[in-house]
Amino acid sequence: MNKWFSLGFWELIARIVLRNRILMLSIIVVITALLALQWKNIQFSFTEANLLPDDNSVNMEYNAFLNKFGEEGNLIVVGVKDDTFFSPKAFAAWNKLMTAIKAQKEVDLVVSINDLKQLKKNDSLQTFELIPFVDINKTNSQEYINSIKKDLFQNMPFYEGLLFNKKSGSIRSAIYLDKQIVNTAGRKEYIVNDFIPKINAFEKETGIDLRVSGMPYIRTLNAMSILNEISLFIGASLLLTSLIFFFFFRSFRATIIAILIVIIGVMWTFGLLGLFNYHITVLTALVPTLVIVIGIPNCIFLTNKYQQEYSAHRNKAKALQRVITKVGTATLMTNLTTAAGFATFIITSSQLLKEFGIISSLSIVSLFFLCLIVIPIYYSYQPVPKQKHLEHLNRNYTRVFINWIEKTVKHNRRYVYSIALIVFLVSIIGALKIKTSGSLIEDMPKNTSFYKDILFFEKEFEGIMPLEITVDTKRKKGVMKLSTLSKMDELQQTIEEIPELSKPISILNLVKYSKQAYYNGNPEYYDLPSSQEQGFILGYAKNATKNTKDNLMKSYVDSTGQVARITTFMRDIGTGNMAKIEDKLWTKANEVFPKDRYNVVMTGKALVFEKGTQYLLDNLVSSLLFAVFLISLLMVFMFRSFKMVVVSLIPNLLPLVITAGLMGFFGIPLKPSTILVFSIAFGLSVDDTIHFLAQYRQELKHNNWKIKKSVFATIKESGISMFYTSVVLFVGFSVFLLSDFGGTVALGGLIAITLAFGMLSNLMLLPCLVLTLNKSLTNKQEFIEPKIDILNNPNEVDD
């Protein structure tokens, strides 16, 4: 690897690139065309982000649940809270809507008030019959509809919490989609092209506002929002970074080639997604924008170096060669450290994070070679820079800023250290206040109608996020034993006592309803049968639970009758409250279900996501330490000095601590989106350090190893480029503030803030440390091995 850092290596690269310009451009065109052919393989993820590794016990339990009972997230609910609902006109429109939905092949079952079934005892067959609750032919009478409403709210406890809220009077329908399409493109096609138009037609006809939610509906609209934001981010980041680039350089030619390079980089990113058959997820959707935001600074450094070299000696050929030879190593290292920040996610066992880490790191490294090849070749065909294009090198505002930095480092180092120490201590206090969050809906766009509908169902029906409990009786037909049902009843009573959870649904509900039906529908008998009643009532109930299409309970007992399923829905409560609820449920489950006779499993989307968040938190420190180790290793190869690595890490860890402190003080929780900030920001912040120290190395050799002179010369030489690139990165990541997703906003804002502090830290704290610390840092035998001159050309020392 050392030869990669040698000057001779980069001279060879410069010679190859500049002498084979047509060939190099042809290779890029071919690669672009081949990757463009892979775009047809790009797919969007139709499921929520699974943050847990495949072999995690929580994931294995959830997959076992799906194998036994099928996809749990197939329920769509349509709710209404309007006094005019129980009127002939509105009820007729509702019946028309639900009948049309039920007729669709994508729909497995619809449970709605208009075609509600009630149990009636049939003594001759010793079973219960499902007979219509509503006579559609009478619904043109207001008096009849009023009687239906009264009967529903007073005599049908089986459907309370499922279809109506007795206290508020709200009504909803449960629509169960075909489980085969829930995680496919067919779900989106049905919801967008069929379901939503029907809902809109009802609202237009009646003037009643319908509320719609459920995991299939939320997934679809959430995915559409992500897709819409991809184009928004790409367009906004390209526009803003290009405008900043032009403002700095005042050159259309330089701006155009920078735009072209990042556009090709984005094309390559989409090609890599298709090549690896990775889905577009909430994370990989950010990579094209990251390519733009990171690519423009590469263009800035290379363009700025070309103009600096040409301004110094007015030799175009020499300037183009030195663009590669002088900053080749530094630019390679900055891109490798940035890629390393993303690559740390590859070591996790989460497939979602692995894909994000692979695509982002490969895209960044590819972008480096793209910039290094295209920019020198492009300028080789262009006229030499005009004087107006070089004026930015001595522009007043940049000169004032750099002079201020220089004076501060020269005369106020104690103040820099004092402020850094105070900020560090205050940030530590803030960091200790950070809380965690593991909510499925917290980062969803707050201003959308589907998010407001989620809040409606949380208020009226205690939420829509499924939490599943399975009870394995370890013997066939053990579920319908009265002892098992009694134990399930105890657990369900505990669930009902928890305000964040909805009324549970299980075979127990049907058994209770069976007793009510046996006693001619009297709601006072909605309860478990006694030991004397169990023989004939459970016999009736077993006959009523045959696997018919209209049987709501068919998915709540497995085919052998051995395993029962209890489903409840929960509000958006976050990681901390979820853990408390889980503890309370496990305490009760372990109390009523002896482990030697029963096997109880708690699972569901809500629980899996919460455990995934906790998994990320547990791996945060190890991922960040791995990023620090990996980047430190790269810097050891570059600088050949352990002390310089330590000096370089301090200014880059401080901004991370500041960011953690801000998160604590402003109540920004640790969650999947914000956890990513630290590794990404660290990888990007180190770039400034590498550029500074690489230039410092050159200045030491040029100035006969005089520390002060070399440090201040480095500030003047690299300060402008570091300032330019930091501004571009700050604005580029600020583009994510345009997002409707809270997690994306937090990710972009926190990274932007961290990079702003990182720039100041690298321009002020880093040179102060270099000046203050041991002079052995400049010892030639330690700081640079005689046989490996990785950044300086001996023939250029006196230039």
Side-chain angles (χ1 to χ4, degrees), residues 46 82 90 109 117 164 186 212 278 292 327 391 395 428 431 504 511 542 603 635 641 713 721 729 795:
F46 295 103
D82 194 307
L109 174 67
K117 300 295 191 295
F164 66 89
V212 184
Y278 288 165
I292 295 172
V327 298
E391 290 176 356
R395 201 167 289 150
I428 289 293
V511 172
K542 289 175 183 178
T603 186
M635 296 180 74
S641 168
S721 292
L729 288 171
N795 299 324

Side-chain angles (χ1 to χ4, degrees), residues 319-352:
L320 289 171
Q321 184 188 34
R322 290 188 178 182
V323 167
I324 298 175
T325 58
K326 277 201 166 185
V327 298
T329 296
T331 310
L332 173 62
M333 289 298 298
T334 56
N335 281 270
L336 287 179
T337 53
T338 301
F342 290 94
T344 54
F345 302 120
I346 299 175
I347 67 170
T348 66
S349 300
S350 168
Q351 188 63 29
L352 177 80

Side-chain angles (χ1 to χ4, degrees), residues 625-645:
L625 289 177
F626 180 74
V628 172
F629 170 76
L630 188 59
I631 291 170
S632 299
L633 194 63
L634 290 171
M635 296 180 74
V636 165
F637 274 105
M638 180 176 180
F639 295 113
R640 319 298 297 169
S641 168
F642 177 75
K643 291 181 180 179
M644 286 304 295
V645 173

Side-chain angles (χ1 to χ4, degrees), residues 29-68:
V29 170
V30 170
I31 292 174
T32 305
L34 291 175
L35 289 176
L37 293 175
Q38 301 298 320
W39 293 356
K40 64 180 183 296
N41 299 324
I42 296 176
Q43 302 179 49
F44 194 86
S45 176
F46 295 103
T47 61
E48 290 85 14
N50 191 345
L51 304 173
L52 290 170
D54 293 337
D55 58 354
N56 185 276
S57 60
V58 175
N59 240 356
M60 295 173 68
E61 289 174 347
Y62 181 65
N63 290 329
F65 169 84
L66 294 181
N67 291 333
K68 186 173 292 292

